[in-house]
Amino acid sequence: MATIKDVAKFANVSVSTVSRVLNASGYVEKNTEERVLAAIKQLNYKPSQIARGLVNKQTKTFGLVLPDITNPFFPELARGAEDEARLHGYNIMLCNSDWDIEKEKMYLGILQEKCVDGIILVGSRLPEAYLAEMLAAFATPLVLLDRTSSLEVHSISINNILSGYLATKHLIEQGYRSIAHIAGTPSPTVEQRLIGYKQALAEHDILFDEVLVFQGDYRISGGATAMQRILRLRNLPDAVFCDNDLMAIGALEALQEAGIKLPEQMALVGCDGISLGKYVCPRLTTIFQPTYKMGSMAVQLLFETIHKGEATAFKHIEMEPVLVVRESSPRKHNCQEQ
Amino acid sequence: MATIKDVAKFANVSVSTVSRVLNASGYVEKNTEERVLAAIKQLNYKPSQIARGLVNKQTKTFGLVLPDITNPFFPELARGAEDEARLHGYNIMLCNSDWDIEKEKMYLGILQEKCVDGIILVGSRLPEAYLAEMLAAFATPLVLLDRTSSLEVHSISINNILSGYLATKHLIEQGYRSIAHIAGTPSPTVEQRLIGYKQALAEHDILFDEVLVFQGDYRISGGATAMQRILRLRNLPDAVFCDNDLMAIGALEALQEAGIKLPEQMALVGCDGISLGKYVCPRLTTIFQPTYKMGSMAVQLLFETIHKGEATAFKHIEMEPVLVVRESSPRKHNCQEQ
DNA sequence: CTGAAAGCGCTTACAG
DNA sequence: CTGAAAGCGCTTACAG
C-alpha cells in the first residue's frame, strides 16, 4: 500500500501538504492540489484510517454486541444500526455473545482495545453491579439496548411489563383462563415480562401459578422442549405466552407433533414481531417491537454523546410494544383462511 | 485511557519493558514483571490495538460484505464467519451492500482504509473486469463467497447449476410439466441456476420458455409480485422454482391470497434452506446449502492466505447443494399433516 | 535483564 | 501557501 510519504514524494511536496488536501484543511495552491490529487490517483493511495485514528483518537467504528445474529430478532436491529452508522461514515463491528455473560465481558474488553468510538450492548445479562464498575473504568460511550438499568447509561428498551401484560390480557380476553408462560434466558427483560403477565392475571382474578412458568432459551428448540413439558402437565393450560417468537414457533411445532390444534385446543402468543411469525401456520399472534428503529436510535444516541461530550444527561428511552393479533390466539380460525 | 507510558511510569520501568511483558517477548525479571502486571491492573490498562496495528500491520479484523443481514440466509453465514474468526482472536466488520454494486465498491474502499486483514465478499455482483482491476491494486486477502470467478481469488460457492437442476428435476419427476422460474437479482449465481433449470428441462424434453422466467429481488415482496405476474398468465404453470426461500415465501403468500392450493394447484420449490422454510405452511421444499460452514471456511481461507503468504494457489471450493423435500412440492399433501 | 531510539502512517500546530 | 518537527501509542532492533 502506498503511504502518504509516497504520495508526497510523487507529487514533490511535503506530507503536510498532502495531508492538507486530504482533509481540505488549510490553504493549498490550486496547482499543488492538482498534483497531489493526481499522485493519489496514480498510486491508488488510500489514507490509513488506523494511523489517522491514532492521532485523531477515533476509529469511526462502533461495536455491536448482541446475543445471536442468527436469531431473527437481531438482524433487523443490526441493520438499523448499520444504516444509521453508515450515514455518518461509521462502521459496525459485530459480536455475538450468546446470552453468555463471560462472552459479553470478553467482547467489551476487545472492543475497548480496538478503540471503537462507541458500543451498543444488546440484551445484556451483566449484573448491575458489574455494569456500574465497568462504567466507572470506561471511557467509551455506551448504550444499552433492550435492557434497562438504573445506572448512568443511555438505554433504549421496550416497556416489557406492558409486553407481558398485553399478551396475557389478550389471551384472557379471548376467554382463556389457564395461561402458561415460556420465559427467555433470565435477564431483567424476562423479569419484567413476568411482572406484566402477573399483572394481567391479577386484574382478572386469576391466580398466578408458578408451575405454569417454564424456562426457555429464546431458541426454537427451547420452545419445543418447554412445550413438551407443558404437555405432560396433568391439567393442560389452554394458552401459552412465549417470551419470543422463536420459542413460540418451537412450541407450535411441538403442538403439531402432538396433534393439538391451534388455537382451538391451545392458543399461542409470541413476542418480538419477527417477520417469520407472519408466515408460520397458524400465523403467530405477537407483541411487536420496533426493532430496526431501536438499532438506529442507539447509533444516534452514540453520536449525541460523542458530540455533546460527557455532560449530557443520560436518556432512558422506552418504546411501546404493540399487540399484533394473527391466527394463533383468537378463538375460531384456521390455517387456510386469510 | 491509560497508555503504556502511564504503566511504565507507575511501575518505574521503561515502556520497552512494559511492552515485553505485554507480549511475553524477551526476558523480564520476575520481580519487574510482577510490578508491571500490578501497574496494568491498577491503571486498568488495555493496550491500544490500533497503535499496535500500526506497527504490526494487522488489525485483527476482517471485513464481511454481504447483501443484507436481514435476509435470513446471511446471519447463518455471518455467524459461521464470526465464530471462526473469534477462535483466532479476530473480529468481524459487518457491511450490507443491498446487492448494490456501488455500495460494494464503497465498502471495499472503506475496509481497505480501515486496514482490515482480509475481506469476505458475499454474493458480489461486481463484474469480472472490475474485480480483476481491483485485485491488481489490492493488498488485502480476499475471498469470494457465493460467487464464482475465473480470476486469481479464493472462492467458495455452491454448485448453482446443480441447484437449479435438482430443483427443476424434482418438480418434473413429481409430474409437473410447466415450470416457471422466479430469478434473483442478476448475478453469476442466478445465471448458473438458470442453466441448471434449462438442463433439467432439456433432459426431459420440455421446451424452455422464456416467458416463464420472472425477475425477482430475493425479497419476500419481490416473490409475491412475481407470483402475481405469473397468475396473470393465460396458461398457468403448475410449478415454480424460486431462486431463494424468501421469494418462495412471498410467492406462497400471493398464492394463498389468490386462493390457490399448494401443491395441488401449484407446486413451489425454494433455494437456500433457511430455517424459516421449515415453518411456513405448507413447509417449503428447498435446495439446502451449508451456509454456516461456508462462512467459517471463508475465514479459514483468509487465515491460510495470511499465514502462507502470497504464493498459495488460489482455491475454488464448490459445495454441493442438497434437495430437501417438504410439503410444497410433492403431489398430495397438506398443511395440517405431519 | 533493561532502556533509549527509531519508526509505523498519519495530523497538527508552528515557522516562514 | 508550504515544510519541518513533534506526537498519537505502540513494537522492535540495538546497546549496554
Side-chain angles (χ1 to χ4, degrees):
Chain A
M1 282 291 292
T3 74
I4 197 173
K5 271 188 192 167
D6 301 321
V7 175
K9 200 174 296 170
F10 195 95
N12 220 318
V13 294
S14 71
V15 294
S16 317
T17 301
V18 177
S19 177
R20 262 177 228 118
V21 349
L22 244 30
N23 300 290
S25 63
Y27 304 91
V28 178
E29 201 180 304
K30 187 83 183 168
N31 182 34
T32 326
E33 181 177 7
E34 276 164 12
R35 250 183 314 143
V36 172
L37 257 17
I40 289 175
K41 189 156 203 175
Q42 182 62 233
L43 301 175
N44 187 31
Y45 167 70
K46 301 218 184 297
S48 157
Q49 266 298 338
I50 106 133
R52 275 184 165 173
L54 189 56
V55 10
N56 291 335
K57 263 90 182 55
Q58 56 165 342
T59 50
K60 300 248 181 201
T61 111
F62 290 137
L64 176 64
V65 183
L66 46 74
D68 183 9
I69 194 70
T70 261
N71 176 318
F73 180 66
F74 298 107
E76 196 76 19
L77 191 154
R79 195 58 150 95
E82 211 255 328
D83 286 352
E84 186 69 26
R86 180 169 33 79
L87 290 180
H88 302 260
Y90 273 65
N91 290 103
I92 297 285
M93 197 96 87
L94 178 68
C95 309
N96 294 97
S97 67
D98 287 316
W99 285 282
D100 176 338
I101 293 181
E102 292 312 313
K103 273 197 189 171
E104 271 190 47
K105 289 183 186 172
M106 182 198 72
Y107 275 123
L108 255 9
I110 290 178
L111 290 173
Q112 274 183 94
E113 289 185 356
K114 296 231 167 157
C115 309
V116 296
D117 297 343
I119 295 179
I120 301 173
L121 188 53
V122 186
S124 174
R125 300 182 60 223
L126 290 176
E128 286 275 288
Y130 183 90
L131 258 184
E133 193 180 314
M134 198 187 76
L135 251 25
F138 214 70
T140 320
L142 181 76
V143 5
L144 256 29
L145 206 51
D146 205 14
R147 146 73 117 121
T148 52
S149 166
S150 52
L151 300 168
E152 299 274 283
V153 237
H154 288 303
S155 73
I156 304 178
S157 59
I158 304 285
N159 184 337
N160 283 302
I161 298 184
L162 186 54
S163 297
Y165 176 80
L166 285 176
T168 313
K169 184 173 162 233
H170 164 69
L171 286 168
I172 297 172
E173 286 175 354
Q174 290 293 317
Y176 306 104
R177 310 305 291 178
S178 173
I179 298 166
H181 176 47
I182 300 180
T185 314
S187 75
T189 296
V190 165
E191 288 165 27
Q192 290 155 14
R193 298 257 183 84
L194 188 64
I195 293 176
Y197 164 81
K198 288 180 184 173
Q199 266 182 14
L201 292 181
E203 241 176 45
H204 295 265
D205 298 318
I206 301 177
L207 273 186
F208 168 67
D209 181 356
E210 199 158 354
V211 171
L212 291 179
V213 177
F214 293 80
Q215 179 66 55
D217 60 357
Y218 285 134
R219 300 208 171 83
I220 290 181
S221 57
T225 308
M227 183 53 90
Q228 281 154 10
R229 285 226 181 78
I230 291 178
L231 292 179
R232 287 209 203 95
L233 253 30
R234 184 185 311 274
N235 297 307
L236 281 193
D238 47 18
V240 180
F241 160 48
C242 300
D243 259 348
N244 76 344
D245 287 351
L246 239 33
M247 292 195 297
I249 288 166
L252 199 156
E253 240 196 327
L255 287 174
Q256 288 181 341
E257 271 169 23
I260 293 181
K261 293 248 188 286
L262 281 87
E264 295 84 350
Q265 297 174 266
M266 192 165 312
L268 214 49
V269 174
C271 199
D272 269 4
I274 60 174
S275 62
L276 172 44
K278 239 179 307 187
Y279 302 101
V280 299
C281 172
R283 293 162 203 251
L284 193 64
T285 293
T286 191
I287 305 293
F288 176 82
Q289 307 180 353
T291 325
Y292 181 93
K293 187 158 188 203
M294 288 171 74
S296 65
M297 283 178 72
V299 168
Q300 281 168 13
L301 269 185
L302 245 23
F303 282 122
E304 274 182 34
T305 15
I306 289 173
H307 294 136
K308 295 200 186 147
E310 291 300 325
T312 339
F314 289 99
K315 290 189 185 168
H316 293 284
I317 298 175
E318 195 175 63
M319 316 286 278
E320 292 287 284
V322 178
L323 172 71
V324 177
V325 179
R326 291 198 279 242
E327 300 169 348
S328 67
S329 63
R331 292 280 188 193
K332 307 249 171 158
H333 241 303
N334 84 55
C335 145
Q336 296 289 3
E337 278 179 27
Q338 186 175 104
Chain B
M1 283 291 290
T3 75
I4 197 173
K5 271 189 193 166
D6 301 321
V7 175
K9 200 173 297 170
F10 195 94
N12 220 319
V13 294
S14 72
V15 294
S16 317
T17 301
V18 178
S19 178
R20 262 178 228 116
V21 348
L22 244 29
N23 300 290
S25 62
Y27 304 91
V28 178
E29 200 182 306
K30 187 81 184 168
N31 181 33
T32 325
E33 183 177 5
E34 275 165 13
R35 249 184 314 143
V36 172
L37 257 17
I40 288 176
K41 189 155 204 179
Q42 182 63 233
L43 300 175
N44 188 30
Y45 167 71
K46 301 219 184 295
S48 158
Q49 265 299 338
I50 107 134
R52 277 185 163 171
L54 188 57
V55 10
N56 292 335
K57 263 90 184 55
Q58 56 165 343
T59 50
K60 300 250 181 200
T61 111
F62 290 137
L64 176 63
V65 183
L66 46 74
D68 182 9
I69 193 70
T70 262
N71 176 318
F73 180 65
F74 297 107
E76 196 75 20
L77 191 154
R79 196 55 151 96
E82 212 255 327
D83 285 352
E84 187 67 27
R86 181 168 34 80
L87 290 181
H88 302 260
Y90 273 65
N91 290 103
I92 296 284
M93 196 97 86
L94 178 68
C95 309
N96 295 95
S97 67
D98 287 316
W99 286 281
D100 177 338
I101 293 181
E102 292 312 313
K103 273 197 190 172
E104 272 190 47
K105 291 183 185 172
M106 181 198 71
Y107 276 123
L108 256 9
I110 290 178
L111 289 173
Q112 274 183 94
E113 290 186 355
K114 296 231 168 157
C115 309
V116 296
D117 298 342
I119 296 178
I120 301 173
L121 188 53
V122 186
S124 174
R125 300 183 59 224
L126 290 175
E128 285 276 288
Y130 183 89
L131 259 184
E133 192 180 314
M134 197 185 78
L135 252 24
F138 214 70
T140 319
L142 181 75
V143 5
L144 257 28
L145 205 53
D146 205 13
R147 146 71 118 120
T148 52
S149 167
S150 51
L151 301 168
E152 300 274 284
V153 235
H154 288 304
S155 74
I156 302 177
S157 59
I158 304 285
N159 184 336
N160 283 303
I161 298 184
L162 186 55
S163 297
Y165 176 80
L166 286 176
T168 313
K169 183 172 161 236
H170 164 68
L171 287 169
I172 296 173
E173 285 175 353
Q174 290 293 318
Y176 306 103
R177 309 306 292 178
S178 174
I179 299 164
H181 176 46
I182 300 180
T185 316
S187 75
T189 295
V190 165
E191 287 164 26
Q192 290 155 14
R193 298 256 183 84
L194 188 64
I195 292 176
Y197 164 81
K198 288 181 185 173
Q199 267 182 12
L201 292 181
E203 243 176 43
H204 295 266
D205 299 318
I206 300 176
L207 272 186
F208 169 67
D209 182 355
E210 198 157 359
V211 171
L212 291 180
V213 177
F214 292 80
Q215 178 66 55
D217 59 357
Y218 285 133
R219 299 206 171 86
I220 291 181
S221 57
T225 309
M227 183 51 90
Q228 280 155 10
R229 286 227 180 78
I230 291 178
L231 292 178
R232 288 211 200 93
L233 254 30
R234 184 183 312 273
N235 297 308
L236 282 193
D238 47 19
V240 180
F241 161 48
C242 300
D243 259 347
N244 75 347
D245 287 351
L246 240 32
M247 292 195 296
I249 288 166
L252 199 156
E253 240 197 327
L255 287 173
Q256 288 181 340
E257 271 170 22
I260 292 181
K261 293 247 188 285
L262 281 87
E264 296 84 349
Q265 296 175 267
M266 192 164 312
L268 214 49
V269 174
C271 199
D272 269 4
I274 60 175
S275 60
L276 172 44
K278 240 179 307 191
Y279 303 100
V280 298
C281 174
R283 292 160 205 253
L284 192 64
T285 292
T286 191
I287 306 293
F288 177 81
Q289 307 181 355
T291 326
Y292 181 93
K293 187 160 188 201
M294 289 172 73
S296 65
M297 284 178 69
V299 168
Q300 282 167 15
L301 270 184
L302 244 24
F303 282 123
E304 275 183 33
T305 17
I306 289 173
H307 294 133
K308 296 200 185 147
E310 292 298 327
T312 340
F314 289 100
K315 290 188 185 168
H316 292 284
I317 298 175
E318 195 176 63
M319 316 286 279
E320 291 288 282
V322 177
L323 172 70
V324 177
V325 179
R326 291 197 279 243
E327 300 170 347
S328 68
S329 64
R331 293 280 189 193
K332 306 251 171 157
H333 243 304
N334 83 57
C335 144
Q336 297 288 5
E337 279 178 29
Q338 187 178 98

